[in-house]
Amino acid sequence: MAEGDQQRFKRVLLKVSGEALMGDRHFGINPVTVDRIASEIKAVTELGTEICLVIGGGNIFRGMSGAAAGLERGTADYMGMLATVMNALAMQGGLERIGVPTRVQSAIPMATICEPFIRRRAIRHMEKGRVVIFAAGTGSPYFTTDTTAALRATEMNCDAIFKGTQVDGVYSADPNKVADAERYDNLDYMDVLSRDLQVMDASAVSLARENSIPILVFSIHNPNSFASVVKGEGIFTVISDTI
Ligand code: UDP
């Protein structure tokens, strides 16, 4: 990554899975982990980068598992979207505790707890230095928060999608299960799609590809990793069409 990239990342979207908020727990939200991720985000706001967030819901509820347990898929997916709202509120709390102004915007209007998603308003919030947290996914069942991340990044004219994961980039196989899994520094969108590399779902990668938004994959658990990657330092994988 070349010098000056920090400048290129004027506005970014960070996607974290619900799982990332669990910390060492097996379910739900670990407040210590939320606070740590909040301070990572604060460090990036201090670089002058505008930030919006999409948080998953898998730590609380996933539509697929609800459907497997006998719920109607649409209903189960709405429950999954509601889980993302809880995570968004937890992250808002974590950020505001350390003085980062935020707004939560939900794709499913919930007037008493947050704003509805309004594209131009979200952009204005970021211009004013607020972190915008997009909740309730796309608002439609059969989608994921990865696809939401690609969609909102496109709508917000973000320079990149930052995908904070459990490992420090994209591997040929799960490095926690396959000892000799290969780690990549750069990948083409088509590599990810054709080799079915498990980093973001195919619709998210396709949307990022169509709109030429690079995806930077890094470990959300390495201290100070978000700010490092925004500065082009540290360990990460870039998915783009420029290699
Ligand atoms: N979901 C949905 N539509 C969306 C986004 C999410 O129906 O646009 C539901 C879906 O059931 C999903 C759940 O919300 O399983 C939680 O999101 P996701 O699985 O993407 O969370 P993550 O894996 O990132 O924690």
Side-chain angles (χ1 to χ4, degrees):
M1 195 165 273
E3 222 174 286
D5 275 355
Q6 186 185 337
Q7 209 47 44
R8 198 177 79 201
F9 296 139
K10 189 181 170 309
R11 178 181 297 157
V12 301
L13 183 142
L14 172 67
K15 161 75 209 293
V16 281
S17 65
E19 205 184 358
L21 304 190
M22 293 193 303
D24 53 5
R25 298 184 180 179
H26 298 292
F27 176 82
I29 300 167
N30 184 335
V32 176
T33 311
V34 170
D35 286 349
R36 199 188 50 73
I37 296 175
S39 60
E40 299 269 322
I41 293 166
K42 183 177 185 178
V44 175
T45 62
E46 285 166 352
L47 298 174
T49 304
E50 294 173 11
I51 303 176
C52 50
L53 295 178
V54 169
I55 308 177
N59 55 324
I60 301 172
F61 197 86
R62 262 185 225 284
M64 291 287 255
S65 23
L71 275 169
E72 200 244 324
R73 173 72 192 268
T75 304
D77 278 341
Y78 281 116
M79 292 169 69
M81 287 184 258
L82 293 177
T84 71
V85 179
M86 289 194 239
N87 285 336
L89 295 177
M91 188 51 74
Q92 177 171 47
L95 284 164
E96 297 212 327
R97 267 196 294 282
I98 52 171
V100 179
T102 65
R103 293 291 185 274
V104 174
Q105 288 202 346
S106 172
I108 299 171
M110 292 185 208
T112 46
I113 53 174
C114 60
E115 295 182 4
F117 171 64
I118 299 172
R119 190 184 71 87
R120 290 169 59 105
R121 194 165 178 180
I123 290 175
R124 191 77 192 112
H125 285 319
M126 284 188 280
E127 286 170 351
K128 287 183 174 171
R130 298 170 186 146
V131 171
V132 180
I133 309 173
F134 295 116
T138 59
S140 297
Y142 301 98
F143 286 98
T144 64
T145 53
D146 278 353
T147 305
T148 309
L151 175 65
R152 295 288 184 247
T154 307
E155 291 176 288
M156 295 298 122
N157 301 318
C158 288
D159 300 309
I161 298 168
F162 283 68
K163 163 99 179 174
T165 65
Q166 312 298 318
V167 291
D168 57 3
V170 183
Y171 285 77
S172 55
D174 183 347
N176 294 321
K177 293 181 188 149
V178 181
D180 59 356
E182 188 190 347
R183 195 189 152 279
Y184 306 106
D185 284 332
N186 292 282
L187 284 166
D188 193 277
Y189 300 108
M190 286 311 286
D191 291 333
V192 179
L193 293 170
S194 61
R195 288 153 66 186
D196 196 22
L197 297 171
Q198 301 295 315
V199 52
M200 284 184 119
D201 54 65
S203 43
V205 176
S206 300
L207 199 52
R209 176 172 178 256
E210 275 163 32
N211 295 289
S212 300
I213 303 179
I215 304 170
L216 288 87
V217 184
F218 68 101
S219 167
I220 194 73
H221 299 297
N222 288 349
N224 215 26
S225 52
F226 184 27
S228 300
V229 180
V230 169
K231 288 191 272 186
E233 298 162 2
I235 307 170
F236 56 93
T237 299
V238 184
I239 304 168
S240 66
D241 55 10
T242 53
I243 59 169

